[in-house]
């Protein structure tokens, strides 16, 4: 009997019988008021480091994850969603994840190394905050092109939102 792929969404025990055990949802922090709480309900204070991959390759030393955890870090802020990250005045092209292709304007091959970084951080017991570096998000060219940023240009803002929706959907069950 063939079961269509859409049946993977069967609720409760039926799904487990057909497809094996259902993995638990990923652990998440929660916010109540101005406080963060871990999955067990305990208050948590995030302390950690920025992880900024080399722009030429997207690489980061994965052993840095374990090292930062030994220093007491419980969060890695991965500055890894590089979108239109070209600085004005530079003639060299820097590596980034931007594409001109709708619907999400993001090069999915970037997930290969982003996934490695997220996995390295979580394996070492650290939470992850993904951050974007973007010419248009930061308004780097505000003197020469004041309208070329997500705050003043509706098209760029819509593309920026599409990128984040796509990235969030990728990591929703990570």
């Amino acid at each position: 009997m063939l079961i269509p792929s859409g049946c993977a969404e069967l609720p409760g025990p039926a799904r487990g019988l057909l497809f094996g055990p259902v993995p638990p949802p990923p652990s998440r922090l929660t916010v109540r008021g101005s406080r963060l709480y871990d999955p067990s309900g305990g208050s948590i204070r995030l302390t950690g480091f920025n992880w900024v991959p080399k722009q030429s390759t997207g690489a980061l030393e994965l052993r840095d994850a374990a090292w930062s955890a030994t220093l007491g870090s419980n969060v890695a802020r991965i500055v890894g969603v590089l979108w239109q990250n070209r600085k004005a005045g530079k003639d060299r092209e820097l590596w980034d994840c931007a594409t001109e292709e709708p619907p999400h304007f993001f090069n999915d091959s970037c997930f290969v190394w982003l996934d490695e970084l997220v996995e390295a951080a979580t394996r070492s017991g650290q939470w992850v905050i993904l951050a974007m570096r973007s010419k248009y998000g930061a308004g780097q060219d505000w003197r020469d092109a004041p309208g070329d940023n997500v705050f003043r240009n509706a098209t760029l803002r819509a593309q920026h939102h599409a990128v984040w929706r796509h990235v969030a959907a990728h990591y929703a069950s990570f």
Side-chain angles (χ1 to χ4, degrees):
M1 172 179 181
L2 290 175
I3 301 171
S5 61
C7 289
E9 298 303 316
L10 290 174
R15 182 173 177 204
L17 290 173
L18 293 174
F19 300 101
V22 178
S27 296
R28 300 286 191 236
L29 297 176
T30 56
V31 179
R32 288 193 299 263
S34 62
R35 310 250 345 163
L36 286 174
Y37 296 90
D38 65 22
S40 68
S43 180
I44 186 170
R45 179 174 180 257
L46 299 178
T47 57
F49 298 94
N50 284 336
W51 293 11
V52 183
K54 295 177 184 173
Q55 292 207 338
S56 59
T57 62
L60 184 81
E61 295 290 332
L62 295 181
R63 67 175 181 251
D64 291 346
W67 174 78
S68 63
T70 65
L71 297 175
S73 174
N74 65 357
V75 67
R77 180 179 175 265
I78 301 172
V79 184
V81 182
L82 307 174
W83 188 66
Q84 294 292 339
N85 192 41
R86 295 177 180 91
K87 293 190 178 187
K90 303 256 182 181
D91 57 354
R92 64 186 177 130
E93 185 173 311
L94 299 177
W95 182 90
D96 71 41
C97 300
T99 71
E100 299 294 325
E101 300 299 319
H104 50 71
F105 306 95
F106 187 82
N107 182 347
D108 283 351
S109 67
C110 291
F111 284 132
V112 172
W113 68 268
L114 276 172
D115 289 353
E116 286 181 8
L117 294 175
V118 170
E119 288 171 1
T122 56
R123 267 195 315 271
S124 65
Q126 297 179 76
W127 298 100
V128 172
I129 298 171
L130 287 176
M132 177 184 278
R133 180 168 287 163
S134 168
K135 168 184 169 179
Y136 299 121
Q140 284 177 237
D141 291 340
W142 65 272
R143 285 191 178 124
D144 298 329
D148 285 350
N149 61 63
V150 298
F151 306 105
R152 297 175 189 243
N153 184 311
T155 301
L156 290 173
R157 186 171 38 256
Q159 290 175 355
H160 188 261
H161 289 166
V163 168
W164 275 117
R165 280 192 302 273
H166 184 63
V167 171
H170 177 80
Y171 290 108
S173 62
F174 207 79

